[in-house]
Amino acid sequence: MMAIYARASAARDAARRSLHLSCYQQLQRTKAMDQARNVEKIVTRFKNRVRGN
């Protein structure tokens, strides 16, 4: 009985770990996308300034 319980708890821990990892990866991905957007904004602003002068 204890072996079944231990196996179930190990499976639950692994599932929780993989879920946490995917959440962390999604967070990193959105952070990278935000940084790319900021860079694009800065580049377009710089191009507009160069064109204006």
Side-chain angles (χ1 to χ4, degrees):
M1 193 66 192
M2 288 301 293
I4 293 170
Y5 177 76
R7 200 175 299 143
S9 67
R12 193 177 58 232
D13 288 346
R16 191 181 297 141
R17 207 174 297 125
S18 66
L19 185 74
H20 176 72
L21 188 68
S22 66
C23 285
Y24 179 75
Q25 285 174 340
Q26 281 181 334
L27 192 71
Q28 294 297 96
R29 201 173 296 139
T30 53
K31 208 182 286 182
M33 281 172 64
D34 286 348
Q35 286 178 347
R37 260 186 227 119
N38 288 343
V39 169
E40 284 175 6
K41 280 181 195 169
I42 292 168
V43 168
T44 52
R45 201 177 297 151
F46 181 72
K47 279 182 183 173
N48 290 341
R49 192 178 296 151
V50 167
R51 262 187 228 127
N53 291 342

